[in-house]
Amino acid sequence: MIELELLGPRAHGEALGQAQLKATAEDFQVDEVLDIPLAGEGEHLWLWVEKRELNTEEAARRIARAAGVPLRVVSYAGLKDRQALTRQWFSLHLPGKADPDLSAAENANLRILKSERHKRKLQRGAHSANGFTLRLTRLAADRQALDVRLKRLAEAGVPNYFGLQRFGHGGGNVVDARDFAERKELPVQRNLRSRLLSAGRSFLFNRVLAERVAAGTWNQAQVGDLLAFTDSRSFFAAGEAECVDPRLAQLDLHPTGPLWGAGPSPAAGGTQALEHGVAQAEQALCHWLAEAGLAHERRILRLPIGGLTWHYPEPDVLQLEFVLPAGCFATAVVRELVDLLPAGQTENPCAF
């Protein structure tokens, strides 16, 4: 599968040039934003962990081994990239136990920065946002054009596409999801099942969003839309009054797209027709997701970029800093700026 099939058209014009992302782990830094005051006591030990070139599940296994506890008692709020420098929270359920010696978990790839007790475990999705520091290296693009585009992104947001990493190498996760859907089967292995269901849902959402971007309506409320606030999982129907709500222009309120599950889309009018058309083209996949027990949910189509700043520490390096809601992809921002060079490419054919 090619990128355009998995994602969709850009909203702010063609790429302005090329650059490399993730030449080193430090080029892609993520800090989890978790607005939960810790009690300082309780059965759960919370850990603030820095990891480099290590995914979240691998880090959880390493912590469990060092603590001498089953993996199931280790919790985390969200999955973070492997090829990155990330800082995120984990928790261990340790009823009646002292804090374990976790030094065996630490090495050059994992450091425990602090620990504190709390009365509850860390729940999935508990973090409100992620802060990003990205370095685009070997940059070949006009700086003035980049500055104009970045100001536009800060004002208007970007399409909230799921990133390519959700779909596996070459879109393999979507291929596998379709295969299971056609056979009306679910993977037995829990992690694989979760990954393929997520990939299938994400692919369908991106198809709807791509249609809205092509039509120029991804950032506009229409009668029949379902609207949601940036940090809310609830949604409500848009009538004529809701379509002129000033919070839409303030990037606080957004139209949404479907995360497929049981039942028809609760949207109406043209929005329902568009979503139905996507579902008709992928009937087996939609039915498979519903039969897996997933409920119909919504995701905002427009991604607001919090606190976006940038500078050029070197002539061919652009550093970006911004905050995105949990579950959203930094690559959706980068994609509206430049094309990314394939890993390992040593020459940039584009010069400005």
Side-chain angles (χ1 to χ4, degrees):
M1 286 188 170
I2 61 174
E3 178 178 324
L4 194 60
E5 290 176 317
L6 292 170
L7 302 181
R10 293 178 170 92
H12 297 287
E14 294 301 313
L16 299 173
Q18 294 180 314
Q20 186 169 11
L21 181 60
K22 299 185 179 182
T24 68
E26 284 72 15
D27 290 341
F28 196 98
Q29 299 189 37
V30 188
D31 286 88
E32 204 167 64
V33 178
L34 192 70
D35 301 322
I36 298 176
L38 300 182
E41 60 180 3
E43 295 184 348
H44 301 270
L45 178 64
W46 287 43
L47 308 172
W48 180 235
V49 174
E50 179 183 88
K51 56 188 185 59
R52 175 185 285 100
E53 298 179 345
L54 192 70
N55 70 33
T56 301
E57 293 170 338
E58 291 170 336
R61 284 193 291 269
R62 184 179 293 184
I63 291 168
R65 284 196 300 269
V69 298
L71 179 60
R72 66 177 182 274
V73 309
V74 181
S75 303
Y76 45 83
L79 298 172
K80 300 291 184 287
D81 287 14
R82 176 189 181 92
Q83 193 178 347
L85 175 63
T86 67
R87 287 166 285 269
Q88 70 176 112
W89 285 99
F90 291 80
S91 76
L92 290 79
H93 189 205
L94 301 170
K97 297 180 181 178
D99 292 0
D101 178 5
L102 297 174
S103 58
E106 297 186 276
N107 62 10
N109 299 102
L110 188 150
R111 291 194 305 147
I112 297 173
L113 303 180
K114 62 181 176 180
S115 62
E116 190 167 353
R117 287 278 180 161
H118 193 50
K119 296 177 180 179
R120 297 184 179 181
K121 75 177 237 182
L122 176 58
Q123 301 285 346
R124 291 297 290 269
H127 59 309
S128 60
N130 290 300
F132 294 90
T133 300
L134 307 186
R135 283 170 56 91
L136 296 171
T137 59
R138 296 173 47 234
L139 175 71
D142 180 76
R143 185 179 294 191
Q144 183 176 3
L146 282 171
D147 289 345
V148 171
R149 179 70 60 85
L150 282 161
K151 290 176 184 176
R152 176 62 180 160
L153 301 189
E155 294 170 354
V158 299
N160 193 20
Y161 288 118
F162 286 97
L164 287 175
Q165 55 267 51
R166 176 59 59 91
F167 306 114
H169 180 69
N173 289 344
V174 178
V175 173
D176 291 343
R178 281 173 164 162
D179 181 57
F180 274 100
E182 290 291 343
R183 292 188 279 119
K184 300 181 180 180
E185 298 176 0
L186 282 170
V188 176
Q189 186 180 354
R190 186 178 64 177
N191 286 347
L192 177 61
R193 181 168 66 249
S194 176
R195 183 166 71 247
L196 296 190
L197 289 171
S198 179
R201 269 184 138 187
S202 301
F203 173 71
L204 293 168
F205 174 88
N206 277 8
R207 291 294 83 220
V208 170
L209 178 52
E211 295 277 355
R212 297 283 296 251
V213 172
T217 62
W218 65 279
N219 56 354
Q220 301 172 13
Q222 305 177 117
V223 174
D225 264 337
L226 299 166
L227 306 181
F229 291 99
T230 301
D231 298 320
S232 174
R233 295 184 180 180
S234 62
F235 53 87
F236 57 93
E240 292 184 3
E242 287 76 14
C243 289
V244 294
D245 190 313
R247 292 171 293 187
L248 287 161
Q250 296 164 2
L251 273 67
D252 291 332
L253 185 64
H254 318 273
T256 66
L259 295 174
W260 252 272
S265 167
T271 300
Q272 185 186 58
L274 187 155
E275 294 177 7
H276 178 73
V278 170
Q280 284 295 105
E282 296 283 352
Q283 290 185 53
L285 192 57
C286 291
H287 182 74
W288 181 66
L289 293 168
E291 289 297 306
L294 297 175
H296 187 103
E297 298 175 299
R298 307 294 293 187
R299 173 182 169 94
I300 57 175
L301 296 177
R302 177 176 60 181
L303 176 57
I305 309 169
L308 176 61
T309 62
W310 65 92
H311 69 284
Y312 302 86
E314 300 175 37
D316 64 344
V317 176
L318 169 61
Q319 181 164 316
L320 306 169
E321 297 184 12
F322 54 88
V323 177
L324 298 180
C328 298
F329 288 75
T331 49
V333 178
V334 174
R335 187 170 182 265
E336 293 290 337
L337 297 172
V338 295
D339 286 323
L340 292 179
L341 293 166
Q345 184 170 322
T346 56
E347 294 185 1
N348 192 334
C350 192
F352 293 84

